[in-house]
Amino acid sequence: MRIVIAGGHGQIALRLERLLSAGGHEVAGIIRSSGQSDDLREAGAEPVVLDLESAAVEEVADVLRGADAAVFAAGAGPGSGIPRKDTVDRGAAVLFADAAERAGVRRFVVVSSMGADSGHEGDDQFAVYLRAKGAADDDVRARSGLDWTILRPGSLTNDAGTGLVDLQASTGRGMVPRDDVAAVIAELLDTPATAGLTLELIGGSVPVVVAVRDVAGN
């Protein structure tokens, strides 16, 4: 498959790019800065420099044309300030979904966040982030032109992946290594029967392949 990843220099995205390229897939990662290009090449991905906060939908669609799947893994980051929660965590996700529909790319996976909710209350930065992610998820789930899966990991760690997870519609709070999040995304891309699902993910006791198979079609 050819897979295009928005937020291609993110910690999860780089791990995912390595997994996908090692599996024989063709991967492109959208990044904001050309200075990140070498890191993507080392991960086996083609770097595409494009700012999703300012790009037109047709520019993004041009990158997506011919792809078999798209993954939205972009994020403004914890130090970005409140306004960019809307422009990146919500706005860029909506733009990427618009572009995928325009390019005819149906398979669409979103890396969201546990607790994402467009009605989440509060004015602090994390509350605004959860509202933005929730609004983006709502937008994607309303699209009949996409075979979407929303993945909502728990608290992310840089611990080595175990390959063992808890993946369900609702898991409760918990931590999960970024390695295992990337492994789950790769498996979701290979499992089209997970389309239409919103899934929470934490560390657990079930092998990734089995966990994805268990939720497929539910």
Side-chain angles (χ1 to χ4, degrees):
M1 291 193 292
R2 175 173 171 80
I3 299 154
V4 178
I5 302 171
H9 195 256
Q11 294 187 68
I12 291 172
L14 286 168
R15 289 167 167 83
L16 177 60
E17 287 155 3
R18 293 187 190 99
L19 284 176
L20 293 174
S21 61
H25 298 293
E26 180 184 348
V27 188
I30 297 175
I31 53 178
R32 295 183 66 200
S33 169
S34 60
Q36 300 168 337
S37 296
D38 286 347
D39 290 340
L40 267 71
R41 293 189 185 100
E42 288 176 9
E46 168 199 350
V48 178
V49 180
L50 187 64
D51 187 347
L52 294 177
E53 287 182 271
S54 59
V57 64
E58 192 59 34
E59 291 179 279
V60 186
D62 284 344
V63 177
L64 283 162
R65 284 194 176 90
D68 300 290
V71 178
F72 185 81
S80 59
I82 285 177
R84 295 192 68 226
K85 303 308 176 194
D86 183 68
T87 57
V88 177
D89 293 297
R90 185 201 61 79
V94 171
L95 172 69
F96 199 56
D98 286 340
E101 287 190 317
R102 185 168 298 193
V105 180
R106 290 199 60 93
R107 190 70 177 112
F108 196 87
V109 175
V110 176
V111 184
S112 183
S113 175
M114 188 172 290
D117 180 356
S118 59
H120 190 87
E121 296 183 356
D123 297 321
D124 63 278
Q125 185 164 294
F126 190 61
V128 174
Y129 166 75
L130 291 177
R131 277 202 300 276
K133 294 296 283 186
D137 293 352
D138 290 347
D139 179 275
V140 169
R141 289 186 293 201
R143 295 173 184 260
S144 60
L146 296 177
D147 296 328
W148 53 265
T149 304
I150 309 290
L151 182 65
R152 293 177 164 177
S155 299
L156 299 169
T157 76
N158 287 325
D159 297 338
T162 66
L164 301 173
V165 299
D166 183 3
L167 179 71
Q168 301 180 58
S170 179
T171 61
R173 297 283 177 178
M175 297 186 295
V176 61
R178 288 179 172 88
D179 286 349
D180 290 333
V181 177
V184 168
I185 298 167
E187 195 63 32
L188 290 172
L189 289 167
D190 271 339
T191 313
T194 57
L197 300 180
T198 300
L199 300 166
E200 294 184 350
L201 172 66
I202 58 174
S205 59
V206 181
V208 167
V209 173
V210 176
V212 172
R213 183 190 65 199
D214 286 349
V215 298
N218 292 334

